[in-house]
C-alpha cells in the first residue's frame, strides 16, 4: 500500500474525539484550538505613536527647520489634550495620538531648544507619518484564531492581546503505550555489563512517550508486555477501557512470537498493512472493543527504533492530531538542495535521515540502517525519495 493511501485510510478513522477543556494560556502551547477566537476589541485600540518623537500638525511644519513650542508631554498609557495649533507634543512609543495631530516626527530628526521648551524639526513630515492606526492589526469582531489550529507561543500571545488568559482546546487524547518483546530491558534495571546475550534496552518506550506528550496526549505507560498470548490480551483489554488509542511497538509481524496481531484480532479488528516505504514497512491499525461498549483505536508500529520513529512521524502524528480536530494534520514537504549523492534506487518510497547544513543544503547521515537510532538523533528532517529515484 502506498503511504498516501495508508494515511488517507488512517485519517478516515480518526474522527475528532469531541472532548474539550479550558486551559490556562500558559499551558496551551501545542494544543489544538477547539473554538474560534474572535476579537472583542480592536488592536491598537486607538491611534498611537510608532516611535519616540513629536506629534505635530503637518500644516504647522511647512519647511525643514521649523521651530515649534512644546505644549505637552504624552507617555504610553497617558491620554493627551487636543494639540494646540502651532505647537508640538513630546510623545513616546505607544502613546495615543492627541486629537488634532496627524504625524509624528521621530526624535532623531529634531533638535530640542530652550531646555525642552521648543523643538526644531529638520524634516517635513507627510500626513500619517509614524502613526499606528486604530484597528490596523485586528478589527473588532474578526476571527483571529480558528478552530483546528495548533497553538504556538505566537498565537497564544495574540490571544492574550485580546484579553484571554485561558483557551478552549481539544481534550487531550488518552493513549496507552506498551512494548512487546522478552528481549527488552528497561534502562536502569541492569547495567550494560550485566545484559544477558540477546537483550537490548527499550529505547522506543522513551521516544514514543515523549513524542505523544508533545502532541498534547495523556500517556499511560503500560511497560513491557511478555511475549505471551494471554498476557498480551490482558494488557490490551485493560488498556482499551480508559484510553482512546493503544500504541504498541513490535510484535505485529506474523512470526510465532508475535502475539499482538492475534490478540487484537481476538478482541476487536486488525488490518495489517505492508506500506511501500523504507524504513517502516510493517504497520498495523484497528481497534480493541471495550467490555462496556465502544472501542479504542489500535496502532502497531514496527520494533526497529528508526522504523518506529519514522512511521510515528508519518502516520501516528497526523492521526493523533486529527483526533484533536486539527484542520491539516498531514506532514508538509518543502524543496531543498541535496548536497549529497544517493545512488541506490529503492522500489519503495524512501525516507532518509538528513539535516540542513550551514550552506542551506542537506547532508545525509552516513548509515541509514533501520536500527541506527544515532541517525534520528543527528537529523532534523527526512529526505523523501520516490521509488526508483537516485540523487
Amino acid at each position: 500500500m502506498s503511504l498516501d493511501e495508508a494515511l488517507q485510510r488512517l485519517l478516515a478513522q480518526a474522527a475528532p474525539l469531541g472532548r474539550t477543556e479550558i486551559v490556562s494560556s500558559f499551558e496551551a502551547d501545542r494544543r489544538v484550538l477547539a473554538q474560534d477566537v474572535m476579537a472583542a476589541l480592536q488592536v491598537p485600540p486607538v491611534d498611537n505613536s510608532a516611535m519616540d518623537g513629536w506629534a505635530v500638525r503637518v500644516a504647522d511644519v511647512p519647511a525643514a527647520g521649523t521651530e515649534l513650542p512644546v505644549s505637552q508631554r504624552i507617555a504610553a498609557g497617558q491620554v493627551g489634550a487636543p494639540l494646540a495649533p502651532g505647537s508640538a507634543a513630546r510623545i513616546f512609543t505607544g502613546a495615543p495620538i492627541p486629537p488634532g495631530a496627524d504625524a509624528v516626527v521621530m526624535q532623531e530628526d529634531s533638535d530640542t531648544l530652550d531646555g525642552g521648551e521648543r523643538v526644531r524639526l529638520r524634516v517635513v513630515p507627510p500626513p500619517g507619518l509614524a502613526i499606528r492606526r486604530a484597528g490596523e492589526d485586528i478589527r473588532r469582531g474578526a476571527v483571529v484564531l480558528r478552530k483546528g489550529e495548533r497553538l504556538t507561543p505566537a498565537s497564544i500571545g495574540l490571544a492574550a492581546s485580546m484579553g484571554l488568559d485561558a483557551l478552549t482546546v481539544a481534550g487531550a487524547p488518552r493513549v496507552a503505550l506498551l512494548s512487546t518483546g522478552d528481549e527488552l530491558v528497561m534502562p536502569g534495571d541492569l547495567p550494560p555489563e550485566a545484559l544477558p546475550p540477546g537483550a537490548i534496552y527499550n529505547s522506543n518506550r522513551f521516544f514514543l512517550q515523549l513524542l505523544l506528550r508533545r502532541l498534547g496526549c495523556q500517556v499511560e505507560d503500560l511497560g513491557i508486555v511478555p511475549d505471551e498470548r494471554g498476557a498480551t490480551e490482558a494488557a490490551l483489554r485493560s488498556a482499551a477501557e480508559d484510553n482512546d488509542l493503544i500504541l504498541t511497538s513490535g510484535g505485529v509481524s506474523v512470526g510465532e512470537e508475535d502475539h499482538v496481531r492475534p490478540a487484537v484480532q481476538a478482541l476487536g479488528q486488525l488490518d495489517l498493512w505492508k506500506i511501500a516505504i523504507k524504513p517502516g514497512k510493517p504497520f498495523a491499525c484497528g481497534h480493541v472493543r471495550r467490555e462496556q461498549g465502544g472501542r479504542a483505536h489500535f496502532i502497531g508500529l514496527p520494533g526497529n527504533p528508526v522504523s518506529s520513529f519514522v512511521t510515528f512521524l508519518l502516520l501516528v502524528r497526523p492521526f493523533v492530531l486529527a483526533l484533536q480536530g486539527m484542520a491539516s494534520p498531514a506532514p508538509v514537504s518543502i524543496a531543498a538542495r541535496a548536497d549529497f549523492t544517493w545512488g541506490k534506487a529503492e522500489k519503495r518510497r524512501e525516507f532518509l535521515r538528513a539535516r540542513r547544513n550551514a550552506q542551506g543544503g542537506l547532508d545525509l547521515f552516513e548509515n541509514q540502517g533501520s536500527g541506527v537510532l544515532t541517525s534520528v538523533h543527528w537529523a532534523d528532517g527526512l529526505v523523501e525519495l520516490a521509488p526508483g529515484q537516485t540523487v
Side-chain angles (χ1 to χ4, degrees):
M1 185 185 300
S2 72
L3 176 63
D4 294 337
E5 181 183 354
L7 181 58
Q8 183 179 12
R9 290 175 60 173
L10 192 62
L11 292 180
Q13 303 173 29
L17 297 173
R19 300 191 301 267
T20 63
E21 56 182 303
I22 298 174
V23 299
S24 162
S25 296
F26 289 115
E27 305 298 326
D29 188 29
R30 295 175 172 166
R31 300 296 294 272
V32 176
L33 195 61
Q35 64 183 30
D36 291 345
V37 172
M38 299 184 67
L41 72 166
Q42 62 182 7
V43 178
V46 296
D47 291 356
N48 68 85
S49 179
M51 57 188 61
D52 296 343
W54 308 92
V56 298
R57 297 173 186 266
V58 170
D60 292 336
V61 191
T66 298
E67 296 182 10
L68 296 174
V70 178
S71 57
Q72 59 181 310
R73 183 181 186 275
I74 310 171
Q78 298 178 345
V79 177
L83 183 64
S87 74
R90 181 71 169 116
I91 196 166
F92 296 90
T93 303
I97 300 296
D102 54 7
V104 173
V105 177
M106 64 179 180
Q107 63 186 22
E108 290 84 352
D109 291 330
S110 67
D111 301 300
T112 55
L113 308 171
D114 301 334
E117 296 294 323
R118 298 178 61 80
V119 62
R120 178 186 298 118
L121 305 174
R122 300 196 300 267
V123 297
V124 176
L129 178 66
I131 294 177
R132 296 186 291 214
R133 296 299 182 185
E136 72 174 28
D137 184 9
I138 300 170
R139 295 286 184 183
R140 182 182 289 109
V143 177
V144 294
L145 296 172
R146 295 195 176 276
K147 176 182 178 180
E149 287 189 39
R150 195 168 181 222
L151 294 166
T152 66
S155 56
I156 293 168
L158 182 58
S161 75
M162 299 290 96
L164 298 177
D165 66 344
L167 294 165
T168 302
V169 299
R174 298 187 290 264
V175 182
L177 179 64
L178 59 91
S179 304
T180 64
D182 289 340
E183 76 280 9
L184 298 177
V185 175
M186 276 300 294
D189 288 352
L190 289 175
E193 62 272 13
L195 277 181
I200 58 173
Y201 288 122
N202 185 357
S203 59
N204 296 18
R205 182 178 178 183
F206 286 82
F207 66 70
L208 289 175
Q209 181 175 149
L210 296 175
L211 286 168
L212 288 166
R213 287 181 178 178
R214 285 190 171 196
L215 295 175
C217 297
Q218 294 179 0
V219 182
E220 181 183 3
D221 191 337
L222 300 180
I224 302 171
V225 178
D227 276 333
E228 300 171 3
R229 172 72 177 271
T232 303
E233 285 193 16
L236 291 171
R237 190 180 295 110
S238 174
E241 294 304 313
D242 298 315
N243 291 286
D244 304 302
L245 169 66
I246 303 169
L247 182 65
T248 68
S249 65
V252 295
S253 296
V254 293
E256 294 179 1
E257 297 301 320
D258 292 325
H259 299 291
V260 173
R261 178 180 58 85
V264 174
Q265 289 172 329
L267 299 174
Q269 178 180 331
L270 183 74
D271 291 322
L272 184 60
W273 298 341
K274 293 181 179 179
I275 301 177
I277 60 173
K278 182 181 179 182
K281 182 168 70 170
F283 184 86
C285 75
H287 66 265
V288 175
R289 292 186 299 271
R290 299 185 179 115
E291 293 184 357
Q292 303 301 320
R295 61 189 190 180
H297 296 287
F298 171 85
I299 292 179
L301 299 179
N304 279 329
V306 177
S307 300
S308 186
F309 202 105
V310 170
T311 49
F312 184 99
L313 296 179
L314 297 177
L315 293 165
V316 180
R317 181 181 186 276
F319 183 84
V320 169
L321 291 174
L323 290 180
Q324 299 174 71
M326 184 173 175
S328 301
V332 176
S333 296
I334 61 172
R337 186 185 72 246
D339 288 353
F340 61 86
T341 295
W342 187 255
K344 183 181 178 182
E346 289 287 341
K347 294 181 180 179
R348 290 179 278 164
R349 193 169 174 179
E350 192 164 16
F351 291 88
L352 307 175
R353 275 73 70 203
R355 72 179 179 192
R356 195 179 299 274
N357 58 38
Q359 293 72 43
L362 298 180
D363 295 328
L364 284 188
F365 192 73
E366 58 184 6
N367 188 338
Q368 293 288 326
S370 61
V372 183
L373 197 55
T374 315
S375 67
V376 178
H377 161 72
W378 177 89
D380 54 24
L382 300 172
V383 166
E384 178 182 357
L385 297 183
Q389 182 179 356
T390 58
V391 180

